[in-house]
Amino acid sequence: MKRERQCDDMVSGGLRLPRLISDGMVLQRGQAVRIWGWAEPFDSVSVCFAGKTYKCAAGDDGKWEVHLDKQEAGGPYSMEISAGSKSPDGACADRIVISDILVGDVWVCSGQSNMMTPILRLTDLFPEEIAESCSDQIRYFQVPERHVFDKKQEDLAGGRWVPAEPSNVNDFSAVSLFFASEIHRKYNVPVGIINASVGGTPAEAWMSEEALRGWPDFLRELEICKDDSYVSSVKKSDEAAMTEWFGKLNRADEGLRDENRPWYSNECDISDWRAVRIPTSWENIGLKEFCGSIWLKKEIDIPAELAGKPAVLRMGTIVDSDVTYVNGAEVGTVTYRYPPRKYQVPEGVLKAGKNIITVRTVSNTGEGEFVTDKPYRLEIGGHIIDLTGDWVYKVGVAMNEPLPEMTFFSYKPAGLFNGMISPLMNYVIKGILWYQGEANTPAPKEYYRLFTGLIADWRRQWKLGRLPFIYVQLHNFQRAVREPGPSNWAELRDAQLKALSMPDTAMAVAIDTGEWNDIHPLDKKTVAHRLALAAQKLVYGEDIISSGPIYSSMKKDGNRIIISFREPTGGLISKDGGKLKHFAIAGSDRRFAWADAVIADDCVIVWNDTIDDPAAVRYAWADNPEGANLYNKAGLPASPFRTDDWES
């Protein structure tokens, strides 16, 4: 009897397909594409696609694979895959039909949280751009987070292809969608995005065990994690410790203990609450290293004409977590520090006259704060009520110890490679986009070896030759500096710059796209555009200026150093038309001082009149080199660089 099934897991009897080979997929144009799966041992398998049938036999392990002929961009198509001996009516025992297939360009996007940052966070900033990026010709596959230490996985834990339609895109990676949209519009081809990213992860988590042979410490850690009972025990212990800490906090919190008048109600007595001005940190109000809960309240007045209307409450960013109420009704909660707080106040909650906003915050690690330079306001029908300034607060409970430190196994060596990258490697792709590095800034000196090792590792295992690898250099972050000095973020950017020595790589400079107070800046549109420019030149062969100036060499001329850049520079300019900023120069004493700098043709001349015998120059060498303004005429920023190799 014929068995046919169309479903997410693509299984029919003994015939099974990997998650990627499923409805809505995008196949890579212009290359011989692999289609693979599993069947009963030695079963005959046939794949029918675009008017041609491809046949093979499953091995003794049930694995099979065919290679489709090169295809032009287009679709939608269907594919029929059959396996097993035929019944008297000529039908195969097991049969799967895959529908809505497109042929175009497939890109794998990977890295940590900035590659994950979803469209949902950008809806206020880029509403028109998001709408313009939606197209059924763009398909998105989110790889589920999964760490495995003992062996490479052959398939993913889940996932499906989703079209980039307005109702679907909020959870898409913003960088991925904006990039795919540019490529789709430029070349009029379908684009498939496979996003395999996990927040907070270091490069070593994305490398195979073979690639980590040069790091004995990582291999030892990997061996420990191969013990499933150890991993399970640690997870269980961590979960119990977290549950106990939060349970103790909630039971002891005075704001929750009075069931008749909890502190989130408008009726609770605030006569002994203390004044505070928001935004601020707990350290600034005398609660340094405070762990526990703090309740805050603010009274606002709502005009009668706005009463009852729905509103948007923006509470900036709060470290670490919060639950927020309006007139005693919970309107939102965020359980960790990074996401912006944007809460919808339902119709009927606000009333004419006095209204009270209450926020219960929890500080897990002693770094509690309302982050400055973030929006704190209530938006009602075009009216804005500023919420910065005077609030009152009271401690709900002070914990004796911070939340016990959790073990994040997704950060451990090789785990994500085995669970999330290895299952992709039969899928033929156009190239890779990478946005990662923040997690490796504590040890930036190792990053060049790790990163170039990762690139070589993925290329070797994908077996697609010198697979194009395009990556984002770290953006600016933290408060601006007043004097030149060491910077881990600058060192890691330098490692990323040096990785351009590998063939078929390109880098999108993001030194002007960050936010000093947010490790997850929202301008993902500019980042995606620069990745798309890099792809157009490196992969699609366009003769364009795709990057800002990249340092090449230096030459001394008396008390001046002449900086040269790779060709073509695109024509050097000061972005704001003023004096070049954020150049520093040092003599043999290695003490850097701010320098004067001027553009001369396609070079920059750097000097400081107090240094007679200069030895080195650095540009934009800081976590956040605010005001760095060397660009080219295409509007692309120069990469931060240094001419020295001194230890910081």
Side-chain angles (χ1 to χ4, degrees), residues 225-237:
C225 292
K226 287 181 180 179
D227 183 347
D228 290 341
S229 62
Y230 163 76
V231 173
S232 177
S233 172
V234 171
K235 287 181 178 179
K236 186 176 181 180
S237 175

Side-chain angles (χ1 to χ4, degrees), residues 564-630:
S564 297
F565 299 88
R566 294 187 188 180
E567 294 291 342
T569 66
L572 305 181
I573 63 168
S574 163
K575 181 184 181 183
D576 52 19
K579 179 180 177 181
L580 290 180
K581 302 172 186 175
H582 242 287
F583 279 88
I585 195 167
S588 57
D589 61 359
R590 303 187 178 186
R591 298 178 62 181
F592 281 89
W594 294 127
D596 293 306
V598 296
I599 295 169
D601 296 324
D602 260 4
C603 297
V604 173
I605 301 172
V606 186
W607 76 96
N608 180 307
D609 287 334
T610 68
I611 299 175
D612 295 328
D613 187 22
V617 166
R618 292 180 178 180
Y619 171 68
W621 193 265
D623 291 1
N624 181 14
E626 186 176 77
N629 59 349
L630 179 62

